Amino acid sequence: MQIDKLRGRELDQLFKAVLSLKDLEECYRFFDDLCTVNEIQSLAQRLEVARMLQEGKTYHKIETETGASTATISRVKRCLNYGNDAYVMALNRIKEQEETNS
């Protein structure tokens, strides 16, 4: 796991801060203070690319709909295929929550 190289007190603090957030409004406020608008949009774009790849969308469709570069799409696809299954885990949990709230 590549993240093992980054492990430490500061990263633990960041992740604990994220886990402490109680709702979407707190997330918006925290990430607005923590990141630039472009950084937030990049993170959101990667998650959307992962969702679309899971659905079997083509690179062209993903590129057109999200504005993501083919390099970003390839990186996300590599993570989906050979990563830690975190995209799948998160997207499945979001889907479950949406179905529960429907």
Side-chain angles (χ1 to χ4, degrees):
M1 195 169 12
Q2 283 188 342
I3 198 76
D4 287 336
K5 297 175 187 171
L6 299 174
R7 275 190 200 277
R9 185 190 60 76
E10 290 175 352
L11 197 55
D12 285 354
Q13 178 179 258
L14 172 63
F15 292 157
K16 286 175 184 177
V18 171
L19 289 170
S20 77
L21 302 172
K22 293 180 174 47
D23 56 29
L24 277 176
E25 183 58 33
E26 285 188 5
C27 285
Y28 274 99
R29 290 174 42 214
F30 180 74
F31 280 93
D32 185 46
D33 284 351
L34 182 67
C35 302
T36 67
V37 171
N38 287 342
E39 289 168 335
I40 295 168
Q41 288 173 332
S42 271
L43 294 170
Q45 182 187 64
R46 288 180 187 177
L47 188 59
E48 178 63 5
V49 167
R51 185 190 66 76
M52 292 177 79
L53 284 168
Q54 269 193 311
E55 291 179 353
K57 302 284 196 287
T58 65
Y59 271 43
H60 177 71
K61 181 138 181 96
I62 294 169
E63 192 175 12
T64 302
E65 288 188 19
T66 67
S69 68
T70 55
T72 296
I73 298 167
S74 293
R75 184 186 186 289
V76 171
K77 185 172 184 170
R78 191 168 45 255
C79 288
L80 283 171
N81 291 334
Y82 306 109
N84 300 303
D85 294 328
Y87 277 123
V88 174
M89 174 188 62
L91 289 167
N92 285 344
R93 287 180 181 170
I94 291 168
K95 189 174 181 178
E96 287 171 11
Q97 286 174 348
E98 288 173 348
E99 288 171 356
T100 300
N101 295 332
S102 301

